[in-house]
Amino acid sequence: MTEKLILHEYSQSGNCYKIRLTAALLGLPLERREYDIMKGETRTPDFLAKVNANGRIPVLQVGDRFIPESNAACFYLADGSPLVPEDRFDRADMLRWMFFEQYNHEPNVATMRFWLAFVGEARLSDLQRSLLAGKREAGEAALRLMDEHLAGRHFLAAGRLTLADIALYAYTHVAEEGGFDLGAYPAVTAWLARVASAPGYAPMSA
Ligand SMILES: N[C@@H](CCC(=O)N[C@@H](CS)C(=O)NCC(=O)O)C(=O)O
């Protein structure tokens, strides 16, 4: 990759960590720019005009072009590497888990973590408080599905580490911060350890 890579991020976000982990596993250098989402720093006119009109991080900057959406950014980095299967079915199966992550997992598991560990239960709006039970139930369903799939498998797709594992690792490994008990999901727990032992692995705090 010849163009400079800059990650616009909030380092405690799992969506941003996915991109750092992908880059670490591939040995790609990333420059990092931090924004405090708690202070609305991704909602300024300048950010909206120049970085992401959707007002969110992560955004991967490639030279002077910008890729919002964590899984798209991971794909940009990993396309053509062993983290993306060459086989057509396996590649689609990897994508299936990445879409599952965005639709069934992140809106529940990550949102519970954000609301409980970052905003704080006492500061939630009435609407957010009314959604807690449903998000917990949907988050447990996503973790259960992963657990059933991973029982007897080492990785989510293609029989090896792919972007599917990176996308789902990011918020699963910190799911307890959102009140989920990972002890109830032994196959997920074993898989988390497997991902964390991959050569080049970098922890979220790195
Ligand atoms: N689907 C997007 C989600 C991005 C997202 O929700 N970003 C959050 C942090 S994880 C954010 O920027 N929040 C600040 C805001 O909405 O103002 C992705 O996968 O990148």
Side-chain angles (χ1 to χ4, degrees), residues 13 15 18 37 42-43 55-58 69-71 102 106 171:
S13 147
N15 282 321
K18 287 174 200 174
I37 60 170
T42 60
R43 300 284 168 168
R56 291 179 170 82
I57 44 79
E69 294 298 329
S70 56
N71 289 345
Q102 286 284 291
E106 194 259 16
Y171 283 112

Side-chain angles (χ1 to χ4, degrees), residues 11-58:
S11 49
Q12 299 190 67
S13 147
N15 282 321
C16 300
Y17 173 51
K18 287 174 200 174
I19 300 168
R20 295 202 306 276
L21 180 54
T22 303
L25 291 169
L26 295 171
L28 295 171
L30 266 190
E31 191 175 304
R32 296 168 64 175
R33 302 242 170 102
E34 182 80 7
Y35 298 80
D36 189 344
I37 60 170
M38 307 305 280
K39 293 188 179 147
E41 287 181 3
T42 60
R43 300 284 168 168
T44 63
D46 199 51
F47 186 94
L48 295 171
K50 292 188 187 147
V51 183
N52 183 8
N54 199 23
R56 291 179 170 82
I57 44 79

Side-chain angles (χ1 to χ4, degrees), residues 8-146:
H8 298 263
E9 67 164 343
Y10 174 62
S11 49
Q12 299 190 67
S13 147
N15 282 321
C16 300
Y17 173 51
K18 287 174 200 174
I19 300 168
R20 295 202 306 276
L21 180 54
T22 303
L25 291 169
L26 295 171
L28 295 171
L30 266 190
E31 191 175 304
R32 296 168 64 175
R33 302 242 170 102
E34 182 80 7
Y35 298 80
D36 189 344
I37 60 170
M38 307 305 280
K39 293 188 179 147
E41 287 181 3
T42 60
R43 300 284 168 168
T44 63
D46 199 51
F47 186 94
L48 295 171
K50 292 188 187 147
V51 183
N52 183 8
N54 199 23
R56 291 179 170 82
I57 44 79
V59 178
L60 179 66
Q61 183 177 345
V62 181
D64 57 5
R65 294 180 295 170
F66 296 85
I67 307 175
E69 294 298 329
S70 56
N71 289 345
C74 289
F75 188 80
Y76 177 83
L77 295 179
D79 196 12
S81 82
L83 293 176
V84 175
E86 281 174 20
D87 177 81
R88 187 174 185 153
F89 182 91
D90 288 343
R91 205 162 53 245
D93 203 29
M94 174 197 81
L95 287 172
R96 162 257 184 125
W97 286 106
M98 293 169 79
F99 290 122
F100 164 85
E101 187 267 340
Q102 286 284 291
Y103 190 77
N104 295 93
H105 187 283
E106 194 259 16
N108 301 304
V109 176
T111 300
M112 287 294 284
R113 170 178 180 256
F114 185 67
W115 286 355
L116 298 182
F118 290 73
V119 179
E121 197 163 355
R123 283 196 295 275
L124 294 181
S125 67
D126 290 345
L127 174 65
Q128 289 169 330
R129 199 163 294 113
S130 75
L131 295 173
L132 278 177
K135 292 218 171 265
R136 174 165 311 286
E137 196 180 321
E140 299 285 2
L143 292 169
R144 199 160 49 245
L145 188 93
M146 288 171 67

